Amino acid sequence: MLPFALPGVRRVALFGAHPDDIEIGAGGLLLTLADAVPDLEVRYVLLSGTPDRQAEARAAAAAFLPGARITFALHDLPDGRAPAHWERAKEAVQAAAAGGADLVVAPARDDAHQDHRLLAELAPTAFRDAVVLHYEIPKWDGDLGRRNVYVPLPDERARRKVELLHANFPSQKDRDWWDDEVFLGLARLRGMECRSRYAEAYTCEKAVMSL
């Protein structure tokens, strides 16, 4: 297993179908980028969410990306019905792409949730000159699969991710899957796969190698 870096990442586009998708799937990566890139620019796009849930997402983005310059595009597509609103979803992704990005973070194509899959399909069609990382979200569907990109997380960063999830998404605390064991358990398994204590795992379907 050979590590690789993403030098020159300054502009990042983040896509979630719902508030908390981005932070569950990529919160550790966000903390890592915020720590490593002092002039980070972030385009934060959600397809759906009530005003209260979107307020949670705004607070979470600020907490996970301290010091970053964040631009929000929060939409109100019906939860669970994004494919029926393909045109609006496509416009949301295309609008975000107009500003360009060095790195795009979006859901995975093999995600069982139809809203997530739609974003996974649209993101690479709009960002053709950026690395696209597709994140995973644990849920009752049992759709976790094989990944090919890992972001190792030091213990304190993995635990900080979970701490911030609890602090910024109080509306989700009563869900039966929302707990430390789920979040840290998956991170521990992905960490084992890349010989780290904890990690997040992603899928990258296309990358260009510079030698």
Side-chain angles (χ1 to χ4, degrees):
M1 183 182 300
L2 296 175
F4 71 96
L6 291 173
V9 171
R10 291 293 180 270
R11 298 173 301 165
V12 179
L14 304 175
F15 290 95
H18 319 96
D20 75 31
D21 284 355
I22 295 169
E23 291 78 13
I24 291 173
L29 174 61
L30 303 191
L31 290 168
T32 301
L33 286 170
D35 187 52
V37 185
D39 54 346
L40 188 66
E41 297 181 14
V42 175
R43 182 75 170 174
Y44 187 106
V45 182
L46 292 180
L47 289 188
S48 67
T50 63
D52 287 347
R53 291 281 280 133
Q54 290 185 353
E56 287 183 337
R58 286 180 178 273
F64 277 89
L65 293 161
R69 187 170 68 186
I70 307 172
T71 302
F72 292 94
L74 309 181
H75 303 276
D76 59 355
L77 274 65
D79 183 9
R81 293 170 173 79
H85 300 268
W86 186 93
E87 188 69 30
R88 289 181 62 195
K90 175 66 173 178
E91 289 174 356
V93 174
Q94 205 67 47
D102 307 308
L103 176 65
V104 178
V105 182
R109 288 183 187 269
D110 58 356
D111 194 298
H113 196 297
Q114 61 273 16
D115 294 355
H116 300 177
R117 289 198 306 274
L118 178 61
L119 266 181
E121 293 166 358
L122 290 175
T125 69
F127 293 86
R128 298 187 180 275
D129 297 317
V131 173
V132 181
L133 294 181
H134 297 274
Y135 57 76
E136 58 184 355
I137 299 176
K139 52 182 146 345
W140 67 268
D141 304 82
D143 58 359
L144 297 176
R146 297 184 68 177
R147 307 296 167 198
N148 59 10
V149 176
Y150 295 85
V151 178
L153 301 175
D155 287 22
E156 63 273 14
R157 186 164 292 159
R159 296 185 183 279
R160 178 62 173 162
K161 170 184 174 176
V162 176
E163 176 187 332
L164 290 177
L165 286 172
H166 290 315
N168 289 282
F169 295 104
S171 65
Q172 305 303 292
K173 65 180 182 180
D174 292 331
R175 292 184 179 273
D176 56 7
W177 54 268
W178 186 280
D179 60 41
D180 294 21
E181 290 181 317
V182 168
F183 298 132
L184 289 176
L186 178 58
R188 179 68 188 103
L189 286 172
R190 295 312 193 189
M192 176 271 297
E193 293 174 355
C194 67
R195 296 191 172 183
S196 174
R197 178 67 181 173
Y198 295 111
E200 287 175 344
Y202 300 82
T203 302
C204 181
E205 297 175 347
K206 182 186 289 188
V208 176
M209 180 180 294
S210 297
L211 299 177

